Amino acid sequence: MNVRHIPFARCLVFGALTLVAAGCINLSSLTQPPIQTAYYILEYDPPAPTGSKPSAPAIRVDRFSADPLYATTAMIYKKQPFQTDAYVYHRWHTAPADMVSHLLARDLRRSGNFAAVFGPAAPASAAYDIKGHVEIFLENDTADPWQAELLLTVTVTGPPGTGNSAVVLQKSYQASAPCVRNHPRAFAEAMSRAMQLLSEEIIADVCRIVETGEK
């Protein structure tokens, strides 16, 4: 036997053993874990109750509608004029219209100014209805720092059959709040502050109109 062939044979054996060993390795353990999607909500403290007897009648908050761009749980941002985009791994837990109408109903209820505050599914009747529309719910990245921009249109009417079905208020409410850092979580926090500001303004207007009839 030619001794020069022995090292080559040993290499073939070693290579075969290496391939067998590699086949025993669980390759799935070497892959990166999937990226988890983060979900965000609006969160802030409700208004403190006035402590006085409710001075306004019962009111209902209907589910808000939204422009098509915001009728989704996607977190929309804008980097330059005429162009918007959405995060892939960062989303709202529920659609903006649902969050806004839920928080406004909660704040109206916690303010203590109304005899009762009902949601859209409540069977009880109310003296006034609040309807709303989300026109802007956006992270504006064209500014530094980023800004949370919120624009709502609110309409207050009396329900049909009560003799007070006319529109008593229709007004647009707009607020913006800076993000403490350029990150989707900071956007959610800034949008919460913007919503809190608008909620306080809407409650003040509704109380004034319901109590005095002044538009």
Side-chain angles (χ1 to χ4, degrees):
M1 181 177 180
N2 192 338
V3 294
R4 290 180 299 177
H5 293 166
I6 294 177
F8 178 72
R10 288 177 177 174
C11 290
L12 288 177
V13 173
F14 178 77
L17 292 175
T18 301
L19 291 175
V20 172
C24 297
I25 297 175
N26 184 0
L27 296 180
S28 63
S29 64
L30 302 179
T31 60
Q32 294 183 346
I35 299 176
Q36 298 294 321
T37 300
Y39 294 91
Y40 302 89
I41 59 172
L42 299 184
E43 188 174 2
Y44 60 88
D45 293 332
T50 58
S52 59
K53 184 178 179 180
S55 55
I59 196 166
R60 180 190 307 277
V61 180
D62 291 331
R63 183 183 182 274
F64 280 29
S65 57
D67 279 8
L69 181 61
Y70 309 109
T72 173
T73 58
M75 297 185 82
I76 307 298
Y77 64 89
K78 179 180 180 180
K79 282 192 172 182
Q80 55 186 336
F82 311 108
Q83 182 178 344
T84 59
D85 209 336
Y87 289 106
V88 177
Y89 297 109
H90 301 273
R91 301 184 69 87
W92 296 112
H93 191 77
T94 55
D98 291 329
M99 287 193 291
V100 167
S101 53
H102 167 76
L103 287 169
L104 180 58
R106 181 204 67 174
D107 294 348
L108 286 162
R109 190 177 300 113
R110 295 290 292 272
S111 71
N113 293 318
F114 297 87
V117 178
F118 302 113
S125 60
Y128 292 89
D129 280 355
I130 295 180
K131 303 179 186 298
H133 184 78
V134 178
E135 295 189 28
I136 297 177
F137 201 92
L138 180 72
E139 176 192 285
N140 187 353
D141 297 355
T142 64
D144 189 19
W146 294 353
Q147 299 283 321
E149 296 187 354
L150 177 61
L151 175 60
L152 307 176
T153 297
V154 172
T155 303
V156 181
T157 63
T162 64
N164 190 31
S165 57
V167 173
V168 296
L169 172 68
Q170 187 171 68
K171 182 178 177 180
S172 292
Y173 297 85
Q174 187 169 12
S176 62
C179 302
V180 295
R181 62 191 181 103
N182 295 345
H183 188 274
R185 181 182 295 275
F187 168 45
E189 188 272 335
M191 185 61 79
S192 297
R193 286 187 278 117
M195 178 59 203
Q196 185 176 24
L197 291 173
L198 293 195
S199 178
E200 293 173 353
E201 189 176 349
I202 293 169
I203 292 174
D205 284 348
V206 172
C207 287
R208 185 186 70 254
I209 290 168
V210 170
E211 292 174 1
T212 67
E214 176 189 353
K215 295 186 180 182

